[in-house]
Amino acid sequence: MKIGELAKRSGLSAHTIRYYERIGLLPHADRDRSGQRDYDASILTWIEFLDRLKTTGMPIREMLRYAALRERGVDTEAERSALLEQHRERVRAHVAKLQACLLVLDTKIAGYAGKEQRMKDYDAPIPERPRKPAGTRQAGAR
């Protein structure tokens, strides 16, 4: 498939595809007779995986490391697995932080849901206390 079709099907721009190819995230495409890139449809699976890594916050340098290991073949499976396991732990920690933040947001939103009742029960105006006339305070009462 041509780069325009790959861009359409992958959701990446043609510029991004060329960039990923240039830096080594995507393998170099075959060329047709006119010199245009001609991609195999299987590249879509790899692009989807890269997108998942990006979405989970994997730095591009680690994505490049993974891509280089992948390119070297099956002898690198243990290294690739270790790289993904380390990233998974970072993702889990980040998800836990997000869960804690979500709980705070849910609690705050729930507080707003009962605003009318709170206004009736707790936020009613404080009744005024009767004030003593000026000059009736005892000396040294402070």
Side-chain angles (χ1 to χ4, degrees):
M1 86 182 80
K2 303 297 180 214
I3 196 167
E5 178 68 16
L6 180 59
K8 186 176 174 182
R9 291 178 64 183
S10 70
L12 297 176
S13 68
H15 175 77
T16 300
I17 292 168
R18 286 186 204 99
Y19 171 70
Y20 281 4
E21 189 176 305
R22 186 173 57 250
I23 66 172
L25 274 181
L26 295 179
H28 289 284
D30 293 331
R31 301 286 179 148
D32 65 11
R33 290 181 187 171
S34 64
Q36 292 183 336
R37 288 172 172 85
D38 191 16
Y39 295 93
D40 185 81
S42 65
I43 195 77
L44 288 167
T45 303
W46 175 241
I47 289 173
E48 183 179 348
F49 180 68
L50 290 174
D51 185 53
R52 300 289 170 115
L53 294 178
K54 181 180 176 187
T55 299
T56 58
M58 181 180 271
I60 202 159
R61 70 181 175 281
E62 287 184 28
M63 292 168 65
L64 287 166
R65 171 96 176 111
Y66 187 91
L69 290 169
R70 177 179 179 258
E71 191 70 26
R72 287 182 19 212
V74 295
D75 292 341
T76 65
E77 285 181 351
E79 288 177 81
R80 285 184 276 160
S81 178
L83 188 74
L84 292 177
E85 287 171 10
Q86 290 169 1
H87 182 62
R88 178 180 61 194
E89 289 310 308
R90 287 190 304 268
V91 169
R92 282 185 174 154
H94 186 67
V95 167
K97 285 180 186 178
L98 289 175
Q99 284 291 100
C101 292
L102 189 58
L103 180 60
V104 169
L105 290 173
D106 288 345
T107 302
K108 192 69 166 174
I109 290 168
Y112 289 124
K115 181 174 127 183
E116 283 74 26
Q117 188 61 40
R118 270 197 340 272
M119 290 295 288
K120 290 177 188 171
D121 295 345
Y122 305 110
D123 294 341
I126 299 171
E128 268 195 49
R129 297 188 321 212
R131 303 183 93 188
K132 293 183 180 181
T136 60
R137 192 183 283 175
Q138 284 183 330
R142 285 190 175 181

Coordinates of all heavy atoms in Angstrom, one line a residue, residues 29-30 36 56 62 77-78 95-96 109 123-124 130 142:
A29 N 10.5 1.0 3.9 CA 9.5 0.4 3.0 C 10.2 0.0 1.7 O 11.1 0.6 1.3 CB 8.4 1.4 2.7
D30 N 9.6 -1.1 1.1 CA 10.0 -1.4 -0.3 C 9.6 -0.3 -1.2 O 8.7 0.5 -0.8 CB 9.3 -2.7 -0.7 CG 9.8 -3.9 0.1 OD1 10.9 -3.9 0.5 OD2 9.0 -4.9 0.2
Q36 N 8.2 5.0 -5.3 CA 7.3 5.4 -4.2 C 7.3 4.2 -3.2 O 7.5 3.0 -3.5 CB 5.9 5.6 -4.7 CG 5.8 6.8 -5.5 CD 4.3 7.0 -5.9 OE1 3.5 6.1 -6.0 NE2 4.0 8.3 -6.3
T56 N 0.7 4.8 26.4 CA 1.0 4.4 27.8 C 2.2 5.2 28.3 O 2.7 4.9 29.4 CB 1.3 2.9 28.0 OG1 2.3 2.5 27.1 CG2 0.0 2.1 27.7
E62 N 13.0 4.4 24.3 CA 12.7 3.0 24.6 C 12.0 2.3 23.5 O 12.2 1.1 23.3 CB 11.9 2.9 25.9 CG 12.7 3.3 27.2 CD 11.9 3.1 28.4 OE1 11.0 2.2 28.5 OE2 12.2 3.8 29.4
E77 N 14.3 -11.9 22.4 CA 13.0 -11.9 23.1 C 13.1 -11.7 24.6 O 12.2 -11.0 25.1 CB 12.4 -13.3 22.8 CG 11.8 -13.4 21.4 CD 11.1 -14.7 21.1 OE1 11.2 -15.6 21.9 OE2 10.5 -14.8 20.0
A78 N 14.1 -12.2 25.2 CA 14.2 -12.0 26.7 C 14.4 -10.5 27.0 O 13.8 -9.9 27.9 CB 15.4 -12.8 27.3
V95 N -1.3 4.3 36.6 CA -2.7 4.0 36.7 C -3.2 4.1 38.2 O -4.3 4.7 38.4 CB -3.1 2.6 36.1 CG1 -4.5 2.2 36.5 CG2 -2.9 2.6 34.6
A96 N -2.4 3.7 39.1 CA -2.8 3.8 40.5 C -2.9 5.2 40.9 O -3.8 5.6 41.7 CB -1.7 3.1 41.4
I109 N -17.2 15.8 42.9 CA -18.5 15.9 42.1 C -19.7 15.5 42.9 O -20.7 16.1 42.8 CB -18.3 15.1 40.8 CG1 -17.3 15.7 39.9 CG2 -19.6 14.9 40.1 CD1 -16.8 14.9 38.8
D123 N -25.6 25.5 55.2 CA -25.1 26.8 54.8 C -26.2 27.9 55.0 O -26.1 29.0 54.5 CB -24.8 26.8 53.3 CG -23.6 25.9 53.0 OD1 -22.8 25.6 53.9 OD2 -23.4 25.5 51.8
A124 N -27.2 27.6 55.8 CA -28.2 28.6 56.1 C -27.5 29.7 56.9 O -26.5 29.5 57.6 CB -29.3 28.0 57.0
P130 N -27.5 38.3 69.9 CA -27.8 39.7 70.5 C -26.5 40.3 71.0 O -25.7 39.5 71.6 CB -28.8 39.4 71.6 CG -28.8 37.9 71.8 CD -28.2 37.3 70.7
R142 N -10.5 40.3 78.5 CA -9.8 39.8 77.3 C -8.9 38.8 77.7 O -8.1 38.2 78.0 CB -9.2 40.9 76.5 CG -10.2 41.7 75.8 CD -9.4 42.6 74.8 NE -10.4 43.2 74.0 CZ -10.1 44.1 73.1 NH1 -8.9 44.4 72.8 NH2 -11.0 44.7 72.4

